[in-house]
Amino acid sequence: MKTESTYTTLNLLVPNKESYEQQSDFYCWNGGITSETILWPFNSYYWQINPSINDGYPSFGWQPVPAVAATVTTHSASDITANSVTANGEITNLGSTNPTAYGFCYSSSNTTPTITDTKTDKGTVSATGTFSTSLTGLLPGTTYYLRSFTTNTAGTSYGSVQTFKTTIVTTTWNGNASEELSDNANWDGGNVPVSGNNIIIPKLSSGSYPDLGNFTFENVTINGGAKASISSGNFVVNNNLIFTDDLNGASQLLNNGTTTVNGKIVVRKQFKSTGGWYFFSVPFNVSASGIYLAGTSTQATWGDPISGYVAGKNIYIAEYDGQKRDATGSTATSNSPNWKDLSTHTLVANKGYIMAVDADISLDFVSGTGESALFSSTASVPVSQYTTNSSAIHNSWNLLGNPFSSGYNMGSFTNSTFYFYNGSTYDVINTVINNNYKISPFGAYFMQASGSSLSFASAGRALKNKSVYQVNADILNLSLSNDQYTDKTYVCLEEGASSEYVINSDAAKFFSLNPDVPQLYTKINNFEVAVNSLPTTAETIDLYVKIGISGNYSTSSNFGSWVMSIGLLVNSVIV
């Protein structure tokens, strides 16, 4: 009887020890009988009955018994924290001989760790059963590969690989001391976050915003109205970077180094049901399947507002149809015919849209993996030109977005005009009139294209504060105000200016939907305009006022009286 791989305790009728006589290479039985319990194998040799040896009588062979490896199982880790975990395993068979070492080996890079990686060794063991070890000094937010092991004379055996991810510590910036991330005083709790932590940058009423260069974090959230910059170096986000645009404003990140986001970029926008139509854009392509209720995996439902409103949808989105306006010359303050549904339900990067909601909602617009264009130092946004209409005021209208994660000074463009809805009426930015107007990211603006693209220079990027009109001194700036709202119009006297409407020299008037907002404008060939460039030979101009409610109104201009001393007579006409 010879064993091959497994051994058990057997009750056998065997010769007693006194019955053996030593032969040349084995013990042989000499006839004595006794009943003993022996462990099979016995003392590193094995008991055998072999017809070819000792005439078939029982004998001890002198050949050594082959060693047998122990077997071990890796169970799921437990008690997972940011820096520690409890590893769990079980020895199911001791093998032969008993293990002289057992424990766990683990790694954050080697997917099949061995005892040459980091390990814990619990020493010898003489019984099967479960065992556990506390692993400490781990990195937050890190995936580890873990497996149990045992070592005996047969070698080292391993259990299956189990994975676990340490939890993530979230730390909030306060900027009490400086913009330095490495200063404990700048963080709530007084502890600088380490690689793998989450960080939150809130809007500050005082203090400094951070410079994120040369730091790595797991998830980064920049709250509404908050700012951050990267002056140099590499800023790495292992998972998601979340921008927020809410009632506090849009968050901003000005990148002058390198920004790498290994996960997704999320633009989290807040919408109020009482806000009417919102003008917005996203700096990356996103389809309906990439729009979620904020902080969830629930996709928002998309409704088409133009072809047929269906109640119960989360969002209703439309895009501007500049080609139709050029073809028909039709405009309207409300219920404009120049909006259309998005047939593909896909938002195109840096294109503007309008959206309405039936209930207050926050949404996540989620990018694909590896998105980086919004961190570039320059950008070129394609635009469309439509020029079939003989009236230039109807040509080449586009609704566009800011291509950057920071603000942008639209005054850095040359001879251009942009239209921004400010929540009550439209701000008209003509770069001849105003060369310092910064827009936020994730908003949208109208413009009339004079080429095939709009090129954004690096120098225009900036962290936006509240925009302030800085009107050139030789421009007539007129305003009309009531207790709540103010509207403006501009008149420019220029050598060689045309009396006809000229794209980017003149600017069309966009009327507010709110009747409480007074409207002030002039006209060119019976078209309402907010900016009117006139030749220096002009002597009079009619100023039109549209007032929706009774009350007290005040007027002002950068030249004082509306009757100018510069040779231009302004006549007011109430409509």
Side-chain angles (χ1 to χ4, degrees):
M1 184 163 54
K2 182 178 180 179
T3 63
E4 297 294 339
S5 60
T6 60
Y7 304 87
T8 61
T9 299
L10 303 176
N11 291 315
L12 298 175
L13 186 65
V14 299
N16 58 36
K17 295 180 174 64
E18 292 75 14
S19 299
Y20 290 106
E21 295 177 357
Q22 185 162 7
Q23 304 298 315
S24 61
D25 61 349
F26 53 83
Y27 282 104
C28 65
W29 182 31
N30 65 10
I33 301 294
T34 186
S35 179
E36 292 186 6
T37 298
I38 67 169
L39 180 65
W40 195 290
F42 181 78
N43 292 338
S44 298
Y45 302 94
Y46 58 87
W47 175 261
Q48 62 183 353
I49 300 174
N50 190 326
S52 66
I53 299 175
N54 196 30
D55 295 327
Y57 290 104
S59 64
F60 284 112
W62 289 92
Q63 299 90 343
V65 176
V68 178
T71 56
V72 65
T73 300
T74 313
H75 295 314
S76 297
S78 59
D79 303 323
I80 300 171
T81 71
N83 305 108
S84 66
V85 69
T86 299
N88 302 299
E90 182 178 0
I91 296 176
T92 56
N93 193 313
L94 293 170
S96 174
T97 57
N98 287 346
T100 57
Y102 74 107
F104 298 93
C105 49
Y106 58 97
S107 173
S108 61
S109 57
N110 185 0
T111 58
T112 53
T114 69
I115 56 175
T116 61
D117 294 297
T118 306
K119 69 175 182 179
T120 64
D121 187 345
K122 297 177 72 69
T124 61
V125 62
S126 58
T128 60
T130 60
F131 62 98
S132 298
T133 299
S134 178
L135 310 181
T136 60
L138 307 179
L139 294 176
T142 302
T143 298
Y144 286 90
Y145 304 92
L146 168 75
R147 59 177 177 170
S148 53
F149 76 92
T150 61
T151 300
N152 66 5
T153 54
T156 299
S157 302
Y158 296 95
S160 60
V161 176
Q162 296 284 345
T163 61
F164 66 90
K165 186 173 184 178
T166 50
T167 58
I168 302 172
V169 175
T170 298
T171 309
T172 301
W173 173 265
N174 60 45
N176 287 339
S178 66
E179 64 178 17
E180 295 294 329
L181 268 71
S182 58
D183 190 336
N184 288 329
N186 288 322
W187 297 96
D188 287 355
N191 293 311
V192 174
V194 298
S195 177
N197 283 174
N198 290 344
I199 68 167
I200 297 174
I201 303 170
K203 182 178 181 180
L204 301 177
S205 57
S206 62
S208 302
Y209 286 109
D211 186 337
L212 300 172
N214 296 316
F215 273 80
T216 299
F217 299 110
E218 184 70 10
N219 294 287
V220 175
T221 300
I222 308 177
N223 286 351
K227 307 167 189 175
S229 62
I230 301 150
S231 60
S232 63
N234 190 20
F235 171 53
V236 178
V237 181
N238 288 329
N239 196 20
N240 294 336
L241 173 59
I242 302 174
F243 293 97
T244 309
D245 188 359
D246 57 20
L247 297 180
N248 290 314
S251 58
Q252 302 176 72
L253 176 62
L254 177 60
N255 178 44
N256 286 310
T258 302
T259 297
T260 302
V261 179
N262 294 320
K264 305 293 181 69
I265 299 170
V266 179
V267 175
R268 180 165 294 169
K269 290 182 69 71
Q270 181 183 27
F271 300 90
K272 306 287 285 186
S273 60
T274 57
W277 288 102
Y278 287 85
F279 288 79
F280 79 102
S281 65
V282 286
F284 45 79
N285 296 336
V286 57
S287 65
S289 62
I291 305 175
Y292 300 88
L293 305 186
T296 77
S297 58
T298 302
Q299 291 182 4
T301 54
W302 183 314
D304 293 320
I306 306 303
S307 60
Y309 169 79
V310 177
K313 303 295 185 181
N314 295 130
I315 55 177
Y316 300 88
I317 301 177
E319 62 180 329
Y320 195 72
D321 191 346
Q323 185 173 19
K324 183 176 181 180
R325 174 167 179 174
D326 177 71
T328 64
S330 299
T331 62
T333 301
S334 61
N335 297 320
S336 170
N338 300 321
W339 295 98
K340 63 180 180 179
D341 296 324
L342 282 69
S343 58
T344 61
H345 284 192
T346 296
L347 305 177
V348 176
N350 309 320
K351 187 172 181 178
Y353 302 91
I354 58 171
M355 185 168 78
V357 296
D358 286 340
D360 296 351
I361 195 171
S362 290
L363 299 170
D364 285 346
F365 298 83
V366 181
S367 76
T369 302
E371 186 65 50
S372 62
L374 70 166
F375 307 123
S376 300
S377 58
T378 61
S380 180
V381 176
V383 294
S384 298
Q385 290 182 279
Y386 311 108
T387 57
T388 60
N389 198 297
S390 59
S391 296
I393 200 168
H394 296 303
N395 295 161
S396 303
W397 284 99
N398 289 257
L399 184 60
L400 304 175
N402 179 354
F404 301 114
S405 58
S406 66
Y408 193 83
N409 182 12
M410 303 303 283
S412 63
F413 288 102
T414 302
N415 193 30
S416 300
T417 303
F418 306 96
Y419 306 78
F420 301 90
Y421 187 67
N422 62 22
S424 59
T425 191
Y426 289 87
D427 290 337
V428 178
I429 307 305
N430 181 283
T431 57
V432 175
I433 297 172
N434 184 322
N435 58 10
N436 186 22
Y437 187 91
K438 298 182 181 70
I439 63 170
S440 299
F442 322 124
Y445 54 89
F446 282 104
M447 59 89 66
Q448 286 184 276
S450 56
S452 59
S453 64
L454 190 61
S455 296
F456 291 76
S458 177
R461 297 176 305 125
L463 293 176
K464 177 186 180 295
N465 295 311
K466 183 177 177 62
S467 291
V468 177
Y469 283 97
Q470 296 180 347
V471 180
N472 296 335
D474 56 348
I475 306 298
L476 177 58
N477 171 16
L478 306 170
S479 64
L480 176 66
S481 303
N482 59 19
D483 293 338
Q484 290 182 283
Y485 304 104
T486 296
D487 196 32
K488 297 176 181 290
T489 196
Y490 304 91
V491 177
C492 309
L493 296 179
E494 299 180 83
E495 288 286 348
S498 171
S499 59
E500 301 295 319
Y501 182 91
V502 177
I503 293 175
N504 292 327
S505 292
D506 302 300
K509 176 65 179 178
F510 281 40
F511 288 94
S512 172
L513 291 172
N514 186 346
D516 294 352
V517 179
Q519 304 290 287
L520 187 64
Y521 55 96
T522 60
K523 288 187 176 183
I524 298 176
N525 294 335
N526 210 36
F527 292 116
E528 298 90 348
V529 294
V531 177
N532 195 339
S533 296
L534 296 171
T536 55
T537 56
E539 296 181 353
T540 63
I541 185 172
D542 290 334
L543 183 67
Y544 293 83
V545 176
K546 181 181 289 187
I547 297 173
I549 59 173
S550 60
N552 296 320
Y553 291 83
S554 61
T555 62
S556 64
S557 78
N558 56 336
F559 287 100
S561 171
W562 276 14
V563 179
M564 299 298 108
S565 60
I566 59 174
L568 180 65
L569 179 62
V570 178
N571 300 317
S572 60
V573 180
I574 299 178
V575 296

